[in-house]
Amino acid sequence: MDTKKVWFVTGASKGLGLSLVKRLLNEGYQVAATSRTVESLEKEIGKSANFLPLEVNVTDETSVSSAIAKTVEVFGTIDVVVNNAGYGQLGTLEELSDSEARENFDTNVFGLLNVMRNVMPHLRNKKSGHIINISSIAGFLGAFPGWGIYNATKFAVAGLTEAFSAEAKSLGIKATIVYPGYFKTNFLLKGSLRLAENPIAEYKEARDLEVIHDTQIIGNQPGDPEKAALAFIQLAENENPPLHFFMGSDSFGMAKNKIDILLSELSAHEALSKSTDY
């Protein structure tokens, strides 16, 4: 009896989402994949009986609800949800307009929430499922000048997923936050990464980091998207998957460094911390 899981993957026409969907199909899984156009998915992936390409705007709850209903209609169920849709917004906190900041939150946070809200009735009814939310190492370590709003969206993804994990535990539903480091995808290219519409030259650190990304990091990312796809599958097949998963040696190293700093600061200021109790 074939017990392969049915996957629902958002933001699947490029990047880690595309690599994951291709690998899943090669492994014989049934996959519903979303993008803003079906054409972009079919161009990259082609057509097969196990593949359901869906045109979805994650910020539109009706669009999301229809896609989930269509997936259940075609494949009978959904077992694994990967919330991968999102984009990077560069710009210091002063530079970015209210609309630029809110648009990034609309996609990266509220779009993800739309998917979770609409898939949960199905997962609750069957008392099983696994939601994998893609954060970023920038959702754990925020010290990247010019990335503040993007960081904030990814910290929000981590925070809401932690809460969801506690809420859904007795329902038999698992949750994992994935914090990728730099992977050799198109994330740092135009279309996936937006610059501030009105940059302010005085922000030297932010401008310098933009140059570093453009001249040193693009093309030299240590992460292999094909190996990331295999890691996603291993997470989903794990009976006890981690709540927090740092993907990539760079992500792992940056997370460990932050944890070491936190432990040091906790120890150094323990007396002051505890001095505020009655």
Side-chain angles (χ1 to χ4, degrees):
M1 181 177 175
D2 187 9
T3 58
K4 281 189 175 293
K5 296 178 172 68
V6 175
W7 291 62
F8 184 93
V9 183
T10 70
S13 65
K14 55 188 176 181
L16 293 179
L18 177 60
S19 297
L20 173 59
V21 169
K22 286 182 174 180
R23 171 60 65 174
L24 288 168
L25 292 170
N26 286 340
E27 298 284 340
Y29 291 92
Q30 293 177 312
V31 184
T34 84
S35 184
R36 287 188 173 272
T37 67
V38 168
E39 290 77 16
S40 64
L41 291 166
E42 292 181 340
K43 178 183 177 182
E44 294 290 347
I45 300 167
K47 298 181 180 181
S48 79
N50 284 344
F51 177 50
L52 177 63
L54 296 163
E55 181 174 318
V56 174
N57 177 0
V58 294
T59 66
D60 181 337
E61 192 151 14
T62 300
S63 175
V64 170
S65 176
S66 297
I68 289 169
K70 182 67 174 178
T71 303
V72 174
E73 176 189 334
V74 172
F75 293 139
T77 191
I78 296 173
D79 299 300
V80 184
V81 176
V82 179
N83 277 306
N84 177 65
Y87 69 92
Q89 176 65 67
L90 288 189
T92 66
L93 298 179
E94 180 188 356
E95 289 170 337
L96 292 181
S97 66
D98 184 70
S99 62
E100 286 173 295
R102 288 178 185 274
E103 189 172 351
N104 204 207
F105 269 88
D106 281 344
T107 297
N108 293 6
V109 180
F110 293 105
L112 174 146
L113 275 172
N114 279 339
V115 175
M116 293 179 71
R117 256 197 312 267
N118 282 279
V119 79
M120 274 305 296
H122 175 71
L123 300 185
R124 272 194 298 107
N125 285 340
K126 67 176 199 162
K127 291 184 167 39
S128 69
H130 189 179
I131 294 181
I132 300 175
N133 287 336
I134 311 303
S135 177
S136 164
I137 185 56
F140 184 78
L141 174 67
F144 299 100
W147 290 74
I149 291 299
Y150 175 75
N151 293 355
T153 68
K154 294 304 186 177
F155 268 83
V157 167
L160 68 87
T161 308
E162 282 196 9
F164 172 77
S165 175
E167 293 166 355
K169 185 176 181 180
S170 64
L171 300 172
I173 299 165
K174 302 166 185 174
T176 298
I177 310 156
V178 176
Y179 304 87
Y182 289 109
F183 278 80
K184 201 165 288 184
T185 68
N186 56 6
F187 176 74
L188 295 177
L189 304 179
K190 290 180 179 178
S192 294
L193 190 66
R194 301 182 189 179
L195 300 178
E197 293 176 2
N198 297 294
I200 299 170
E202 286 89 338
Y203 282 105
K204 180 182 183 302
E205 292 84 358
R207 298 294 86 80
D208 288 349
L209 190 56
E210 287 174 8
V211 171
I212 289 171
H213 278 90
D214 195 42
T215 61
Q216 298 179 30
I217 296 178
I218 291 178
N220 295 308
Q221 300 97 316
D224 182 345
E226 300 304 317
K227 292 180 179 178
L230 292 172
F232 279 118
I233 294 172
Q234 289 183 49
L235 286 172
E237 296 298 337
N238 192 330
E239 284 297 314
N240 296 293
L243 174 57
H244 301 275
F245 179 68
F246 294 91
M247 182 179 280
S249 60
D250 54 348
S251 176
F252 185 93
M254 285 186 274
K256 188 176 185 305
N257 285 343
K258 178 170 179 178
I259 291 168
D260 289 343
I261 290 170
L262 288 173
L263 288 172
S264 176
E265 291 183 342
L266 280 170
S267 177
H269 303 287
E270 180 177 1
L272 182 59
S273 293
K274 294 179 177 179
S275 72
T276 60
D277 293 351
Y278 281 107

